[in-house]
Amino acid sequence: MTFNDLNIIPPILKALEEKKYSTPTPIQEKAIPVALNQQDLLGCAQTGTGKTAAFAIPIIQRLSKVTRQEKHRPIRALILTPTRELAIQIDECFNHYAKYTHIKHSLVFGGVNQNSQVEKLKKGMDVLIATPGRLLDLMAQGFVNLDAIECFVLDEADKMLGMGFIHDIKRLLPKLPQKKQTLFFSATMPPEIIALSKSILHNPVKVEISPESSVVDTIDQYVYYVEKEEKRVLLISLVKQAKGDSILVFSRTKHGADRIARTLCRAGIDTEAIHSNKSQTARQRALNNFKSGKTRVMIATDIAARGLDINKLPFVINYDLPDMPETYIHRIGRTGRAGRTGTALTFCSQDEMKQLITIQKMLGFTIPAVS
């Protein structure tokens, strides 16, 4: 199947061809027709499956049917997402897919001065991408009106729950029009998320892509059994063996991320760390440096890495094992994205064996060890 088979309009197809996207991923193949049919959708898919395009393309196509004047554009689509980084990634996707349409879009998020965001809101836009806190703040100040919303996307709903945004979402929902299309995406479906989805979706079509059929199959996974004090030496060795390839390394803590970055820098390897203690400007600068290749290695905590979309990232290294097996899937999904292949390497010390066993049970196989 190609995107052309999904009845995508020519301007979007042209943009997809420029990005060399010809074949839809499983979530896109299943979700796009539902969204184009203006039905509510409950999408369950892991990160790295291409779900941003699964909602962005139908929104652009739907809104392209009506030509708007440059001024007095009401916001017709709202995309709510948990982190600033993910909001920026979604905005970049809209830049690509809407390149040959008249659709205007922008984003609002906290951690930065609101003035530039307010100026863009005053000029009018079709699509608003937002994090919950800043959106509610701007609404309270009278800068955002959602009365004309036709399509509402709630992305990474389980991460919203984990980050404490569930109350913000419940405050926002009554401010949206009752008659609208809602696209609801979550990687997992705990009871709270199931209850939330039932409260906001109307006769939804459920689209579910399992990790095994999406992320895991495109990623070569290996584990190194290594004690804590040996991890730094092993990391330096592996980075040098990679011969110039970009590598994303996950640390369990912010202080650990900084410590690992200093270790690699002392070894002569260009490295930066991103975590929640860094300012938004510093985090975005580090991400841009990493994407451009100026910085070869980036060390990230799980929260800071939410929504990172880095083209052709060949390696992910789990320096520390996460406590939750779903987090492992999220981490390794930074590579092998949208059908590409990648390699995920995991360092496991003796006191992390319990987490590794839980992860392997979720995967349904034993990750091969490197001797």
Side-chain angles (χ1 to χ4, degrees):
M1 176 178 282
T2 65
F3 280 106
N4 195 48
D5 298 320
L6 297 178
N7 297 316
I8 306 299
I9 59 175
I12 302 175
L13 285 177
K14 183 179 179 181
L16 289 167
E17 287 167 4
E18 283 189 1
K19 297 294 291 182
K20 295 183 168 53
Y21 297 151
S22 57
T23 305
T25 65
I27 186 69
Q28 294 163 3
E29 188 175 319
K30 293 182 178 182
I32 287 175
V34 174
L36 286 176
N37 201 35
Q38 299 189 17
Q39 296 172 276
D40 281 8
L41 180 134
L42 176 59
C44 188
Q46 298 289 342
T47 185
T49 56
K51 59 183 169 62
T52 301
F55 62 76
I57 290 172
I59 287 173
I60 295 165
Q61 181 151 324
R62 174 177 179 165
L63 301 189
S64 295
K65 294 178 181 178
V66 179
T67 301
R68 297 280 180 176
Q69 296 296 321
E70 193 65 23
K71 293 183 178 180
H72 312 299
R73 289 188 182 211
I75 301 167
R76 296 159 63 205
L78 172 65
I79 300 164
L80 201 65
T81 189
T83 69
R84 293 170 279 188
E85 283 78 15
L86 188 53
I88 291 167
Q89 298 291 349
I90 294 171
D91 188 63
E92 289 175 352
C93 288
F94 270 85
N95 280 336
H96 298 319
Y97 306 141
K99 182 177 180 180
Y100 297 106
T101 72
H102 64 269
I103 297 300
K104 289 184 66 178
H105 58 93
S106 192
L107 69 168
V108 297
F109 52 78
V112 296
N113 188 288
Q114 72 173 36
N115 292 344
S116 63
Q117 297 174 1
V118 169
E119 287 305 309
K120 290 180 181 178
L121 287 166
K122 288 178 178 178
K123 292 177 181 177
M125 64 189 64
D126 303 293
V127 181
L128 179 64
I129 304 148
T131 54
R134 177 54 61 91
L135 176 63
L136 287 169
D137 286 345
L138 293 173
M139 290 175 68
Q141 296 174 62
F143 294 123
V144 176
N145 185 303
L146 302 179
D147 291 346
I149 292 294
E150 300 172 24
C151 184
F152 171 54
V153 178
L154 186 61
D155 194 24
E156 304 257 1
D158 52 347
K159 304 304 182 295
M160 295 273 198
L161 176 68
M163 296 174 69
F165 287 133
I166 199 75
H167 298 297
D168 286 344
I169 294 169
K170 289 179 178 178
R171 284 175 57 201
L172 175 68
L173 291 175
K175 303 178 188 300
L176 296 169
Q178 287 225 331
K179 187 178 180 182
K180 64 184 177 302
Q181 179 186 29
T182 301
L183 308 177
F184 186 108
F185 290 91
S186 186
T188 60
M189 287 289 168
E192 298 93 334
I193 294 300
I194 293 172
L196 179 64
S197 69
K198 287 181 178 178
S199 71
I200 66 175
L201 295 172
H202 178 69
N203 295 328
V205 176
K206 186 172 183 180
V207 173
E208 187 168 6
I209 306 297
S210 68
E212 291 78 8
S213 65
S214 56
V215 174
V216 176
D217 284 349
T218 64
I219 300 170
D220 294 325
Q221 301 173 67
Y222 302 97
V223 61
Y224 288 83
Y225 293 103
V226 57
E227 290 311 311
K228 280 186 176 180
E229 59 271 15
E230 298 170 350
K231 286 186 177 184
R232 295 184 192 185
V233 175
L234 176 59
L235 180 62
I236 292 170
S237 175
L238 290 173
V239 171
K240 287 183 176 179
Q241 288 176 38
K243 295 180 180 177
D245 284 331
S246 296
I247 301 172
L248 178 60
V249 179
F250 281 99
S251 167
R252 191 170 56 82
T253 67
K254 293 174 280 192
H255 296 301
D258 286 334
R259 190 168 55 247
I260 296 164
R262 287 194 298 269
T263 297
L264 292 179
C265 285
R266 283 196 296 266
I269 299 163
D270 291 330
T271 307
E272 291 187 77
I274 61 168
H275 50 68
S276 58
N277 279 2
K278 303 271 188 178
S279 70
Q280 175 62 24
T281 301
R283 286 157 70 176
Q284 194 58 41
R285 183 174 60 246
L287 178 58
N288 290 340
N289 288 342
F290 187 59
K291 283 184 170 182
S292 68
K294 184 177 179 181
T295 301
R296 232 192 106 200
V297 181
M298 186 161 70
I299 319 296
T301 55
D302 293 310
I303 292 295
R306 265 320 153 216
L308 291 184
D309 188 1
I310 301 148
N311 287 333
K312 299 177 182 177
L313 176 65
F315 291 103
V316 165
I317 296 178
N318 293 299
Y319 190 90
D320 304 307
L321 272 167
D323 294 325
M324 301 297 293
E326 293 83 3
T327 303
Y328 173 84
I329 291 290
H330 171 83
R331 287 179 174 188
I332 71 171
R334 300 301 99 203
T335 186
R337 293 179 71 78
R340 299 187 185 97
T341 58
T343 300
L345 308 176
T346 296
F347 297 174
C348 180
S349 60
Q350 186 63 39
D351 61 356
E352 294 174 306
M353 283 300 298
K354 184 178 179 181
Q355 293 103 299
L356 181 63
I357 290 168
T358 305
I359 288 166
Q360 291 181 148
K361 282 182 179 177
M362 180 194 67
L363 294 173
F365 62 84
T366 300
I367 302 172
V370 179
S371 55

